[in-house]
Amino acid sequence: MDSPDEPLFVPAGMFRPRRLRENPLMRELVAETRLHRSQLVMPHFVVEGPAAAGPIQALPGLSRVTIPGLVEQCAADLALGIRSVLLFGLPAGKDESGDIAADPGGIVPQAVRALKQEFGADLLVMTDVCQCAYLTHGHCGFPDAATGRIQNDVSAMQLARVALTHAEAGADVVAPSDMMDGRVGAIRLLLDSAGLSHVPIMSYAVKFASAYYGPFREAAGSAPGFGDRRSYQLDPRNGRQGRLEAALDESEGADILMVKPALAYLDVIADVRSRTDLPVAAYNVSGEYAMVHLMAQAGLGEVVSLALENLTGMVRAGAGILITYHARELLQAQVL
Ligand code: PBG
Ligand code: ZN
């Protein structure tokens, strides 16, 4: 018992850090890390027809949406304070040529046009630029017919064509997630030559080959049909290679550098933050979201406090932009 009458046996002296934890206002005053809703980016899975829309089993609380559904959802989210979105397209059909992914009338360009028409500058529309959801075999690039090896330069050039269709439709930011070497430079050149030098590139610069993408691949139907993505995504053991990837993408003209996943890679976020002056984004991926929801479903924790702790860790590590499926539920809970 701490009582003035009793002798003081604990020689705490002058050092009593607990003084600053005494009450909520004091804790708020000295908080070193602050989250704000303007940092949040909400991902969306956009489908071509109503038959493909509906709840996503792997991501509790989230749904695949048609374009009208997307517009409706974004209007509701805007009212909550979500002003940035990241679009993933789920095409009705897949091919091996890449024509579907690079179709100017494809699902993502259509969705971008619809959002821009409805919301204009009130909503920042970012698009994921990749091919895995559009190619029959589910890889992010084109495999060599004889060896199955994912070819780099033809894939990077194709990615640039995909990015161009998104930017021409009015995307505010294009975000390549494929991890082909040189694709940021290829996209920058093609956008610039098309008069789109004002469109920024948010690069999935430091993207690891992660088991945490499982729920996303179910949501997007983008799991590779053969092999895995380890010949292009980073080995989780390699932080130094991550720094190299970030530096290369910056030199190729990336405007924002992303680290993905986030939770198991907070050291990488901190490293990238300390080495660049560009904005740094963290992708709080599908498996990180699902873990939180499964814990809550098992009665072992609360979604909001778990999610806030995770996102706070990412900001404390150095991320300024948070791509997170939690965005809507956090704002609904009015904690941000
Ligand atoms: C596609 C892509 C993936 C994610 C974003 N873009 C999956 C992958 O690379 O297999 C993962 C997002 C998530 O897990 O939330 N290139
Ligand atoms: Zn991909």
Side-chain angles (χ1 to χ4, degrees), residues 128 130-133 139-140 177-178 207 229 232-233:
D128 181 89
C130 203
Q131 299 214 86
C132 44
H139 274 287
C140 302
S177 65
D178 56 294
K207 178 172 176 182
R229 301 207 204 290
Y232 39 107
Q233 299 179 348

Side-chain angles (χ1 to χ4, degrees), residues 114-202:
L115 290 177
K116 282 288 128 186
Q117 190 177 331
E118 186 74 17
F119 304 111
D122 291 339
L123 185 70
L124 197 72
V125 178
M126 311 184 173
T127 61
D128 181 89
V129 176
C130 203
Q131 299 214 86
C132 44
Y134 299 79
L135 296 176
T136 330
H137 46 70
H139 274 287
C140 302
F142 296 125
D144 178 83
T147 63
R149 187 180 165 274
I150 305 303
Q151 306 171 87
N152 193 84
D153 296 9
V154 286
S155 303
M157 273 153 53
Q158 174 69 8
L159 254 295
R161 291 187 200 103
V162 175
L164 181 61
T165 66
H166 296 183
E168 280 177 333
D172 294 297
V173 178
V174 292
S177 65
D178 56 294
M179 288 300 281
M180 297 301 129
D181 295 335
R183 92 282 203 206
V184 171
I187 292 172
R188 189 69 274 157
L189 268 175
L190 191 61
L191 293 186
D192 289 2
S193 70
L196 293 162
S197 59
H198 58 282
V199 177
I201 299 172
M202 175 169 72

Side-chain angles (χ1 to χ4, degrees), residues 32-239:
E32 298 172 26
T33 307
R34 295 172 200 276
L35 268 65
H36 191 265
R37 63 181 65 168
S38 59
Q39 295 174 284
L40 305 178
V41 180
M42 180 78 196
H44 292 277
F45 298 93
V46 193
V47 297
E48 300 227 45
I56 301 169
Q57 291 295 323
L59 295 171
L62 300 185
S63 292
R64 298 181 192 87
V65 289
T66 58
I67 290 175
L70 173 71
V71 172
E72 207 177 300
Q73 184 67 258
C74 288
D77 289 351
L78 259 176
L80 287 172
I82 299 176
R83 305 194 63 173
S84 303
V85 296
L86 176 61
L87 303 184
F88 292 92
L90 276 63
K94 302 182 192 236
D95 66 7
E96 289 192 5
S97 65
D99 288 351
I100 297 177
D103 179 0
I107 179 69
V108 170
Q110 280 184 55
V112 170
R113 284 194 195 93
L115 290 177
K116 282 288 128 186
Q117 190 177 331
E118 186 74 17
F119 304 111
D122 291 339
L123 185 70
L124 197 72
V125 178
M126 311 184 173
T127 61
D128 181 89
V129 176
C130 203
Q131 299 214 86
C132 44
Y134 299 79
L135 296 176
T136 330
H137 46 70
H139 274 287
C140 302
F142 296 125
D144 178 83
T147 63
R149 187 180 165 274
I150 305 303
Q151 306 171 87
N152 193 84
D153 296 9
V154 286
S155 303
M157 273 153 53
Q158 174 69 8
L159 254 295
R161 291 187 200 103
V162 175
L164 181 61
T165 66
H166 296 183
E168 280 177 333
D172 294 297
V173 178
V174 292
S177 65
D178 56 294
M179 288 300 281
M180 297 301 129
D181 295 335
R183 92 282 203 206
V184 171
I187 292 172
R188 189 69 274 157
L189 268 175
L190 191 61
L191 293 186
D192 289 2
S193 70
L196 293 162
S197 59
H198 58 282
V199 177
I201 299 172
M202 175 169 72
S203 173
Y204 287 67
V206 195
K207 178 172 176 182
F208 290 89
S210 171
Y212 284 98
Y213 305 151
F216 174 95
R217 290 178 189 173
E218 204 230 271
S222 67
F226 67 90
D228 53 44
R229 301 207 204 290
R230 282 186 275 193
S231 78
Y232 39 107
Q233 299 179 348
L234 280 157
D235 187 316
R237 295 172 290 191
N238 294 344

Side-chain angles (χ1 to χ4, degrees), residues 249-282:
D249 283 12
E250 179 163 3
S251 74
E252 289 174 30
D255 299 280
I256 300 173
L257 299 175
M258 187 206 296
V259 176
K260 174 185 175 196
L263 280 185
Y265 301 89
L266 295 175
D267 58 324
V268 179
I269 294 174
D271 255 10
V272 171
R273 176 65 289 161
S274 71
R275 282 161 185 261
T276 183
D277 289 319
L278 296 180
V280 175

